[in-house]
Amino acid sequence: MELSKSNYTVHIDIDLEELIPAYLEKRRKDIQTIEAALGSDDFETIRVIGHSAKGSGAGYGFDLITEVGAQIELAAKAQNQALIRDNLETLADFLDHVVVIFDEEDV
Amino acid sequence: MKKMYEHTDEWLQSPEQVNPAHAVSANSRIILVDDDEDLRQLIIHKFKHSQLIIDQAGSVQKAKEMLYENHYELILLDLMMEPESGYKLFEFVKNDPKLKWVPLIVLSGSDDIDDKVRCLSMGADDYVTKPFHYKELNARVQRILARSKQFEQMAFCDALTGLYNRRYFYNQLVIEMERNQRYPVPISLALVDIDYFKQINDTYGHPVGDQVLQRLSCVLKQNLRQSDLVARYGGEEFVVLLTNTTEEQAATIMNGVLEKVRKVCFAKAGTEDVRITFSSGIAHLSPDLKVQEWIKRTDSVMYQAKEYGRNRVMTWNELASAIRG
Ligand SMILES: [Mg+2]
């Protein structure tokens, strides 16, 4: 999945501001955990992480995290290492470049 | 035939003032069960400015404990949890006589039609797929809470006094007795019967009698503790369940209420103050007592309080020692 520059910019409601840094930091940790799990063919761990990211990402405002999470969940079920690595790269790239703009809430 | 007296506004107590369903509507307490901490945080954060109180549980085990400890008006349940699946909690809730009536919304990462059908047929009130938009979740939560409150009010409240009715009380009594088997604490039951109520109706007319019942409902609510469950048991009879309370403590509390009642003017009939007293019987829950036996025992103590001259509070222990001499 290629990301254009504009996809790195994410608009998020201001009320979530205090939660965002920790949330993104945890996704960085997810990458490490998944890489380690890939080394031991622990697809169940990878599936659970993908599933969680799918469930929470868009709620926080990161649609891409939901998409990547869903892909990782599916890839883990299929035990498809290559597809998991692809998505990890997309996620890592996103986390490295994301710019969050906090918006006043729409009424 | 005595003339009917005008009601003064002062005594036109609105049932809302003692209405239990009304009282809780502002701060509904709900439980969020999800093993994903990020999702729990998100939901709690988003609901922070709503009137809801949200407790969170990260596992099925924790949720079970909390469901026993507290009363929740709604369960938000994640299906895919580790180590125990959300379905485990779902089954547990639907098999529990108390919890099965609590509205439940499934939060699921699965868009699978079979999961949806399974949940709805198991008794879920709604099924929300993750990721969800907060606004949508909030709308669904509010709708279900409002619905169940209306329903509860119709089914479980006494129209005249706004107190819980006999049916609700009986359900709660059974639930408390079950809880008491798991976590035994002293628990007491008090029956309250207005003395010479028939005379009030006969002398001043039924509207004044109704005012007396409403006013006493208020006095009971105001002078009992938050944790005491009070209901209209029928006619001029009220019932109070006092958890974490011995007979002697219950007697102190009910004597305090009686003290108050003696001082209160319950209605104005012309220039005349309508005053009342009540007789109350109290019995604690002793091991192996069945629900009907417990009520019967309490009723017999109340009957004795009448026999001893009314306007008094008596306990089962007191009665037992009096009989022993
Ligand atoms: Mg989960």
Side-chain angles (χ1 to χ4, degrees):
Chain A
M1 203 186 311
E2 282 297 305
L3 282 172
S4 69
K5 194 118 187 145
S6 65
N7 285 0
Y8 292 131
T9 303
V10 177
H11 290 261
I12 289 181
D13 286 347
I14 188 104
D15 66 332
L16 291 180
E17 189 172 7
E18 57 187 293
L19 298 183
I20 297 300
Y23 182 74
L24 292 177
E25 189 50 41
K26 278 186 176 174
R27 303 294 74 82
R28 287 188 190 97
K29 292 225 174 72
D30 282 352
I31 294 177
Q32 292 167 17
T33 311
I34 291 176
E35 273 167 356
L38 276 172
S40 56
D41 282 344
D42 180 3
F43 291 103
E44 179 56 15
T45 295
I46 300 171
R47 186 191 63 77
V48 170
I49 293 174
H51 179 81
S52 295
K54 176 183 82 174
S56 63
Y60 277 87
F62 302 109
D63 291 0
L64 182 129
I65 292 180
T66 283
E67 273 168 48
V68 167
Q71 292 289 325
I72 289 176
E73 183 186 17
L74 285 173
K77 276 186 194 161
Q79 310 211 339
N80 184 337
Q81 295 235 9
L83 190 54
I84 294 168
R85 284 189 201 284
D86 259 12
N87 279 284
L88 273 193
E89 228 170 89
T90 307
L91 181 59
D93 188 49
F94 176 74
L95 292 173
D96 284 345
H97 296 95
V98 65
V99 175
V100 178
I101 296 171
F102 292 104
D103 294 336
E104 293 300 322
E105 266 171 287
D106 48 330
V107 188
Chain B
M1 173 106 174
K2 296 263 178 183
K3 85 172 211 212
M4 292 255 281
Y5 293 94
E6 299 257 340
H7 306 166
T8 58
D9 283 348
E10 191 188 342
W11 299 109
L12 282 176
Q13 289 288 336
S14 145
E16 266 75 11
Q17 280 180 285
V18 286
N19 192 320
H22 184 85
V24 294
S25 71
N27 300 308
S28 293
R29 192 164 186 179
I30 75 179
I31 182 167
L32 165 64
V33 188
D34 196 307
D35 61 345
D36 184 0
E37 195 194 345
D38 293 321
L39 203 95
R40 294 200 308 271
Q41 272 214 333
L42 176 67
I43 291 178
I44 283 168
H45 202 82
K46 280 290 189 182
F47 276 98
K48 212 155 73 178
H49 301 293
S50 75
Q51 302 266 42
L52 299 176
I53 299 162
I54 305 188
D55 290 350
Q56 50 173 321
S59 69
V60 170
Q61 188 51 41
K62 178 81 183 143
K64 282 182 184 172
E65 288 163 19
M66 292 170 71
L67 283 163
Y68 275 134
E69 289 307 310
N70 307 300
H71 169 72
Y72 293 106
E73 287 170 58
L74 180 80
I75 301 168
L76 283 173
L77 176 63
D78 174 32
L79 281 186
M80 291 203 200
M81 289 198 286
E82 305 287 340
E84 280 182 284
S85 144
Y87 277 116
K88 273 260 156 58
L89 188 70
F90 202 152
E91 276 163 13
F92 168 83
V93 161
K94 289 302 169 191
N95 286 320
D96 184 288
K98 170 188 180 185
L99 299 173
K100 70 176 172 186
W101 302 112
V102 180
L104 186 149
I105 300 178
V106 168
L107 292 178
S108 175
S110 161
D111 206 11
D112 188 73
I113 195 88
D114 291 331
D115 272 328
K116 290 183 188 174
V117 169
R118 183 176 171 196
C119 285
L120 292 170
S121 62
M122 280 173 77
D125 295 276
D126 209 342
Y127 189 104
V128 176
T129 310
K130 291 192 262 186
F132 46 80
H133 200 291
Y134 161 72
K135 277 187 199 162
E136 182 185 335
L137 180 65
N138 183 45
R140 291 178 185 276
V141 165
Q142 299 294 347
R143 183 189 65 96
I144 288 175
L145 284 175
R147 261 301 262 279
S148 74
K149 253 171 211 141
Q150 276 172 351
F151 174 78
E152 209 169 272
Q153 191 154 353
M154 283 191 297
F156 295 131
C157 287
D158 172 57
L160 177 68
T161 62
L163 291 182
Y164 286 117
N165 62 19
R166 187 189 187 116
R167 183 189 340 184
Y168 180 86
F169 188 84
Y170 191 83
N171 289 348
Q172 290 305 113
L173 195 59
V174 171
I175 288 161
E176 280 301 331
M177 288 175 78
E178 281 171 6
R179 191 208 302 267
N180 207 263
Q181 287 193 335
R182 290 189 300 271
Y183 308 108
V185 290
I187 175 167
S188 296
L189 188 62
L191 273 168
V192 171
D193 191 278
I194 301 175
D195 297 327
Y196 304 111
F197 184 70
K198 191 175 176 303
Q199 280 184 17
I200 293 170
N201 274 334
D202 289 349
T203 311
Y204 308 111
H206 285 281
V208 171
D210 286 351
Q211 280 179 42
V212 169
L213 292 170
Q214 289 175 337
R215 183 79 183 130
L216 179 60
S217 302
C218 286
V219 174
L220 286 169
K221 286 294 270 187
Q222 282 161 7
N223 292 280
L224 290 166
R225 301 161 302 183
Q226 193 79 47
S227 59
D228 300 328
L229 178 68
V230 54
R232 184 171 178 207
Y233 205 60
E236 68 269 31
E237 204 172 354
F238 296 81
V239 65
V240 189
L241 180 66
L242 306 101
T243 49
N244 261 311
T245 312
T246 64
E247 266 188 22
E248 288 65 32
Q249 290 166 332
T252 305
I253 290 168
M254 294 314 295
N255 269 312
V257 176
L258 180 56
E259 196 71 29
K260 190 90 187 179
V261 161
R262 287 180 188 133
K263 288 180 191 145
V264 168
C265 167
F266 276 77
K268 285 274 187 196
T271 53
E272 202 180 330
D273 287 353
V274 178
R275 294 181 182 277
I276 63 161
T277 57
F278 65 68
S279 303
S280 177
I282 298 169
H284 70 282
L285 176 61
S286 47
D288 301 324
L289 204 58
K290 301 270 183 296
V291 62
Q292 290 298 347
E293 295 165 346
W294 191 17
I295 294 171
K296 223 175 134 189
R297 179 179 286 186
T298 312
D299 192 56
S300 71
V301 182
M302 203 260 297
Y303 181 78
Q304 285 304 315
K306 293 272 186 197
E307 288 287 290
Y308 274 87
R310 296 180 172 81
N311 190 10
R312 71 191 60 227
V313 175
M314 287 191 75
T315 65
W316 171 253
N317 288 338
E318 227 178 329
L319 198 63
S321 59
I323 289 168
R324 279 196 302 269

